[in-house]
Amino acid sequence: MRADRLVSLVLLLRQHGRLSATALARELEVSTRTVLRDIEALSAAGVPVYAERGRHGGFELLPGFRTELTGLNPDEALALLVAGSRRGAQAFGLGSALASAMLKVVDALPESYRNTAAGAAERLLIDPETDLLSRRLVDEEVPDAIAAEVLRAVFAGHKLQIHYAAVDQTPMWRTVDPIGLVTIRDRGYLLATKSGADRTYRLSRILAAKEIPEPAQRPDRVDLDRAWQERSTRFRTGGDQVTVLVRVNPARREDLLGTALAVRGEEPDADGWLRMEVSFQDSRHAKWALWQLSMDAEALAPQWLRDFLRNRAIAIATRYGVSS
């Protein structure tokens, strides 16, 4: 919306001082022509913005033009800035709104607090895009238009039509009653009911969405944490799950736990390794997880998993074997 963009323009000038039209256009993700029109609108509204011509010219506000947000101490301001640095808002299509909100918070703080909080926030990095092994953490993209439509239906308490692509199924339209939204490791999920039955939909698999101006059939209040725990339990105990008995190097225990659905038993083995009974969502999941652990794990049962890992290892060895 233009009103939000005008506010962001003022805040950018407040925090950075003089900025060129090109720099403003880059920050606001608009054209320089749009920036010039916005500058004219601000001037007409009485905002003291003026242009400085020349090689180092640009637009600037008269000194002292600002408002202050009182009642926040440095620790509270730091908490807001750190929270604003998390990437989870991207899952709900709120990334740009969060960035704008953080810009407003920083600008509105008294100067002594603003410098302290902003400086401290620079010393903290939350959820970087890569880990220590330079493995990129892949975000799931949810188009803004879809996220906005889902949010509107959730907040308004209206029914929602979604064109959903479930795994290994042809995408189809469904009408659901949205209950709430959950984000786990930057993956967004819609909790809903369909014909009275609980359903959970991954936002990245929603190809299109349309709010229906009809009241959703849902309780007035909801405990999302409890609802998520209940659905997680059903997920772990249903479907085509498989249970695997495995020996694993203790140094790779956390890697195994990061992929398994649940641990049903664990005890030390005679050689210092761990003997664990874990469950996976299906056979493909189990094969993938054990193969990732390479020589740091040994599948003891079931036999079909041992056969798969052995045959795959033989195939790899044959491909890279020394030719005679």
Side-chain angles (χ1 to χ4, degrees), residues 95-247:
S96 59
L98 181 59
S100 176
M102 291 301 102
L103 194 63
K104 294 175 184 178
V105 167
V106 172
D107 180 79
L109 288 171
E111 185 152 353
S112 60
Y113 287 1
R114 184 169 71 250
N115 294 338
T116 299
E122 291 177 354
R123 306 290 177 175
L124 302 173
L125 176 62
I126 311 297
D127 289 341
E129 292 187 355
T130 59
D131 63 13
L132 285 175
L133 299 178
S134 296
R135 295 175 299 194
R136 185 172 181 83
L137 306 180
V138 180
D139 289 339
E140 294 194 339
E141 295 293 333
V142 181
D144 289 345
I146 292 176
E149 200 74 11
V150 172
L151 282 171
R152 278 196 293 268
V154 170
F155 295 152
H158 288 166
K159 288 182 178 295
L160 179 70
Q161 277 189 339
I162 57 174
H163 193 214
Y164 192 73
V167 179
D168 298 327
Q169 293 184 23
T170 302
M172 60 182 295
W173 283 95
R174 314 157 190 244
T175 299
V176 302
D177 296 297
I179 293 174
L181 293 163
V182 175
T183 177
I184 301 292
R185 296 174 184 154
D186 295 334
R187 290 183 177 180
Y189 297 89
L190 169 67
L191 272 58
T193 60
K194 185 176 183 297
S195 301
D198 288 345
R199 293 289 185 270
T200 303
Y201 302 100
R202 187 179 293 186
L203 293 184
S204 61
R205 292 178 182 161
I206 298 179
L207 307 180
K210 181 179 180 181
E211 177 191 6
I212 301 175
E214 179 182 339
Q217 300 299 312
R218 66 181 191 180
D220 293 334
R221 301 185 64 84
V222 63
D223 184 342
L224 275 184
D225 187 58
R226 180 177 178 181
W228 180 257
Q229 292 296 332
E230 291 174 348
R231 294 182 188 211
S232 297
T233 299
R234 288 198 297 269
F235 177 79
R236 290 194 301 267
T237 57
D240 300 321
Q241 291 186 22
V242 297
T243 299
V244 173
L245 182 61
V246 59
R247 292 175 65 253

Side-chain angles (χ1 to χ4, degrees), residues 251-271:
R252 301 297 301 276
R253 177 181 181 276
E254 294 303 317
D255 293 330
L256 177 61
L257 296 186
T259 58
L261 288 180
V263 177
R264 304 184 183 278
E266 179 177 353
E267 62 182 8
D269 212 350
D271 59 359

Side-chain angles (χ1 to χ4, degrees), residues 247-254 272-274 293 295-298:
R247 292 175 65 253
V248 62
N249 184 334
R252 301 297 301 276
R253 177 181 181 276
E254 294 303 317
W273 278 30
L274 297 173
L293 294 175
M295 297 295 294
D296 287 320
E298 178 188 0

